[in-house]
Amino acid sequence: MREFVFTIEYDRGVDEVMDLFIDNPDLYARSMVINATTEAVWGIEKIVGPAAVLDEFDDALDHVADSAGTTGMCGAPVTEYEYTILSTNAESRKIHWLRREGDGPRSIPLVAVKHIGEGLIMRTERRGDQYRWRMLIDGAVSNIHKKVRSNLREGLSLTVERLGTPPCLLEDGRVQQNLTPEQKSALKAAIERGYYEEPRQQSVTEIAEDVGVSRSTFQYRLNRAEAWLAQQFAADSLDVDLNVDFDLEDIEFIQ
């Protein structure tokens, strides 16, 4: 099983919803779950951003859902688009959406399911002009890549970022090997006592005294835990230290 990560970049003016992300760098969306068959795709997505921008997002989503001329990223007409706001507050939205596409070149998840089969696991992120897709795939991905790249609408471009062992499959081992019980306890104590809040509720000295260790010992343990977290973020979110395992078909297209 390998992780296939690729990004679709949008020019301004190509997609009403993506324009909001382009114009507002603080707007961010991440899927909680996405499922697809050969006929439909649906998912739950969390959108975070300033309140005024989220209001604009609501309006744009309404407009897209009501528009008869909406098309998918590869040009097929969207024949059905439904969404439900599951939760809302001043800083975020959680939405459930369902989309079906008609005849013609279809969007990424529908293409992927056709070539991989049902049960495909996907995640997405949206920020700025980028719509990033992550898929767990058992098999060659060149057919998906060729089909999507050759049919992308004008103003969209595709970049392959990663093809290798999913970091999520390595996480449990990294936790046990690299973060000691003392470091976990130090991090937990810092969180519980408001060390990372703004303003900070307790200092390192105060927390060390509470947990009964010297300041220098607590600081060392906390520093090591923070360094471990930074490494995990780099590996899981920035695709640093890639574990790449290509087959011959993959090499042909990724070059």
Side-chain angles (χ1 to χ4, degrees):
M1 188 70 69
R2 295 176 300 168
E3 184 182 48
F4 181 29
V5 183
F6 54 97
T7 296
I8 304 296
E9 295 186 359
Y10 284 71
D11 290 347
R12 189 186 304 276
V14 173
D15 183 278
E16 181 177 352
V17 175
M18 285 303 298
D19 280 349
L20 285 175
F21 288 90
I22 294 172
D23 294 337
N24 300 278
D26 291 333
L27 188 63
Y28 172 76
R30 184 168 188 171
S31 63
M32 304 172 70
V33 60
I34 291 183
N35 294 304
T37 67
T38 56
E39 301 298 326
V41 57
W42 62 96
I44 298 176
E45 191 171 21
K46 182 175 182 178
I47 302 93
V48 178
V53 179
L54 288 173
D55 289 341
E56 292 185 59
F57 180 87
D58 294 341
D59 293 340
L61 211 57
D62 255 347
H63 185 261
V64 170
D66 292 339
S67 175
T70 302
T71 59
M73 64 180 63
C74 290
V78 175
T79 57
E80 180 182 354
Y81 186 87
E82 298 178 358
Y83 76 93
T84 302
I85 298 178
L86 302 176
S87 67
T88 178
N89 58 48
E91 298 177 346
S92 70
R93 304 283 191 273
K94 286 182 184 176
I95 63 171
H96 173 274
W97 51 264
L98 167 69
R99 190 179 72 240
R100 299 181 189 275
E101 296 183 5
D103 295 335
R106 292 182 172 178
S107 297
I108 287 171
L110 303 177
V111 173
V113 168
K114 180 178 180 180
H115 289 282
I116 301 300
E118 296 182 3
L120 181 68
I121 297 175
M122 296 172 282
R123 290 190 301 161
T124 63
E125 295 175 271
R126 290 195 273 180
R127 189 192 295 275
D129 64 351
Q130 298 187 339
Y131 200 153
R132 179 171 289 108
W133 289 77
R134 299 173 181 267
M135 298 181 179
L136 286 181
I137 289 179
D138 186 13
V141 299
S142 55
N143 287 335
I144 300 172
H145 174 268
K146 291 175 183 176
K147 190 75 172 179
V148 172
R149 183 182 290 277
S150 62
N151 290 304
L152 280 176
R153 289 161 42 199
E154 186 176 351
L156 277 62
S157 61
L158 182 149
T159 301
V160 176
E161 298 187 14
R162 173 187 171 83
L163 183 62
T165 302
C168 63
L169 299 183
L170 305 175
E171 285 178 0
D172 290 343
R174 290 202 299 258
V175 170
Q176 296 301 321
Q177 181 178 356
N178 295 330
L179 199 59
T180 69
E182 293 79 12
Q183 291 162 2
K184 290 180 183 178
S185 295
L187 186 61
K188 183 180 181 210
I191 293 172
E192 290 177 344
R193 289 164 174 78
Y195 180 74
Y196 297 105
E197 294 180 13
E198 183 62 39
R200 182 169 289 169
Q201 300 301 305
Q202 280 192 264
S203 68
V204 166
T205 301
E206 292 169 328
I207 301 173
E209 184 177 346
D210 283 351
V211 299
V213 299
S214 69
R215 183 193 185 283
S216 60
T217 297
F218 183 83
Q219 183 72 73
Y220 173 79
R221 293 173 180 174
L222 186 60
N223 287 349
R224 297 304 300 163
E226 290 172 341
W228 180 86
L229 287 173
Q231 291 169 357
Q232 305 316 299
F233 173 77
D236 298 341
S237 299
L238 303 180
D239 298 319
V240 176
D241 189 24
L242 303 184
N243 179 6
V244 178
D245 180 22
F246 298 122
D247 62 28
L248 293 178
E249 287 189 347
D250 297 332
I251 293 174
E252 179 181 353
F253 82 75
I254 206 164
Q255 290 177 339

